[in-house]
Amino acid sequence: MILPLLLALLTAGLSLGQPAGSTSIADDNSSIEAVVDQSATLSLNESTPINESINENTSLNESLSLNETGNVSSAAGNAIAAPLKADLNYIWSFSGIEAGLITMALEQNGSVILGRAKYEPDDGMAWNADVLGSVEGDKVELTMSAMKDNALTTTRLSGTFANEAIRGNFTQVRDGKIVANGTFNATWINPDISSYTPAKVEAPASVTAPAPAEVTSTADTADAAVNKTTSKMNEKKYTDVREFKDKIGMGGDLSGIPPGMSGF
C-alpha cells in the first residue's frame, strides 16, 4: 500500500512543479527507481517486527511444549515410583519360620489385617494361631500368637509385598525371651479364604490323681470301739420261755433250761 501512494505523490509533484517541455524522462525514471528502492527498504523494515513476533511465538510454543513434556514425564515418574497397594485377601503358605510350612488365611479391611494360622507337621504337635496386622503401601506387619509346648509363643513378621509374594524378617518370643529369628517367604495358594480349616490339635493326656490316703486318728479308733461294743450289746439273745413250759413247775424236768428260768 505504501508504494502506490508514493508513486501517486511523486507523479503529482512532478506534474505541478515542472514547466512544460522541461521534464526529463531519465530523471523521472531515476526518481521512480529511488522511490521504489526506498519503499522496498521500508517494506522490509516494517516486516522485521512481524518476523520477530513470529520468532517470539515460536520460542514460546517450544517452551510450552517442553514444559508440558516435562510435566508428563514427571507425572509418569511419580506413578512408577508410587508403591502398589497390597491385596492380601488370600490363603498363604509361609516358609522359613518352622521346619515345615505354616498355612495362614488373611482377611484385609483397608489397612487392617485379621487372620488365622495353623501348623501341621508330620512329626510333632500341631497348633493353631491368631493373626493381627496392618499394611501400608507395600509394607506388611503381622503378629502371630500360638500355644506351643504349653507356652504362649508370639511371632512378629515384617515384610514387603511384591510380585504376589511377601518377603521379610521374623522374630519369635516365648516367656519373654527371643527363641528364634530369621527370614521368611510367603506365597498365596488359594483366593478362597472360606475354605480354610483349623488344624486338629490333640488335647494333652489327662493324668488321674491318686486317691487320698485314709488317715486314722486316735479319736476315730475310740469311736469305732464304742460303736462295736454297742453293736454287740444290741445283739443280746433272748430265750423264748414258751419252749420250756412243760418243764417249768413242780416235778418238771429242769434239764436244758437256762439258769435262772426254773423258778427255784
Side-chain angles (χ1 to χ4, degrees):
M1 291 179 66
I2 297 173
L3 181 59
L5 290 174
L6 291 176
L7 290 175
L9 291 174
L10 180 60
T11 303
L14 292 174
S15 299
L16 296 174
Q18 291 185 349
S22 61
T23 302
S24 173
I25 296 174
D27 293 338
D28 292 342
N29 291 335
S30 298
S31 300
I32 293 172
E33 291 176 357
V35 171
V36 170
D37 292 339
Q38 185 176 4
S39 299
T41 302
L42 291 174
S43 299
L44 291 175
N45 291 335
E46 290 177 355
S47 65
T48 299
I50 297 175
N51 293 334
E52 292 177 354
S53 177
I54 293 174
N55 292 334
E56 290 177 357
N57 291 335
T58 302
S59 299
L60 181 59
N61 291 334
E62 291 177 353
S63 177
L64 291 174
S65 298
L66 290 174
N67 290 336
E68 292 176 356
T69 303
N71 292 335
V72 171
S73 300
S74 178
N78 292 334
I80 295 173
L84 298 175
K85 186 176 181 180
D87 181 7
L88 307 182
N89 288 288
Y90 295 99
I91 297 177
W92 298 79
S93 178
F94 283 74
S95 62
I97 302 174
E98 298 287 349
L101 298 176
I102 296 175
T103 302
M104 189 180 299
L106 300 180
E107 297 183 36
Q108 179 180 344
N109 185 6
S111 61
V112 177
I113 299 175
L114 297 175
R116 297 168 292 167
K118 64 180 179 179
Y119 182 56
E120 299 175 297
D122 296 332
D123 298 326
M125 297 292 293
W127 48 261
N128 293 301
D130 293 325
V131 180
L132 178 64
S134 63
V135 57
E136 187 68 29
D138 60 349
K139 303 301 180 183
V140 182
E141 300 287 340
L142 299 173
T143 299
M144 180 175 62
S145 301
M147 289 297 297
K148 297 174 54 179
D149 300 328
N150 296 326
L152 179 62
T153 302
T154 302
T155 305
R156 177 71 180 273
L157 301 94
S158 179
T160 302
F161 174 80
N163 299 323
E164 302 298 327
I166 306 173
R167 296 178 177 86
N169 302 314
F170 77 92
T171 301
Q172 197 169 87
V173 178
R174 184 187 305 158
D175 295 330
K177 300 178 181 179
I178 297 177
V179 295
N181 56 27
T183 60
F184 73 89
N185 293 313
T187 56
W188 68 270
I189 56 177
N190 193 343
D192 184 11
I193 304 174
S194 62
S195 64
Y196 175 86
T197 55
K200 295 181 179 179
V201 179
E202 296 181 2
S206 59
V207 179
T208 304
E214 294 183 1
V215 179
T216 303
S217 63
T218 305
D220 294 337
T221 304
D223 291 341
V226 171
N227 292 335
K228 187 174 181 180
T229 303
T230 304
S231 177
K232 288 183 177 180
M233 292 176 64
N234 293 334
E235 292 177 358
K236 182 179 178 181
K237 295 181 179 180
Y238 295 93
T239 302
D240 189 356
V241 296
R242 290 174 298 179
E243 296 179 2
F244 306 100
K245 64 180 180 178
D246 295 333
K247 296 181 179 182
I248 300 174
M250 296 299 294
D253 184 6
L254 300 178
S255 61
I257 298 175
M261 295 185 62
S262 59
F264 297 98

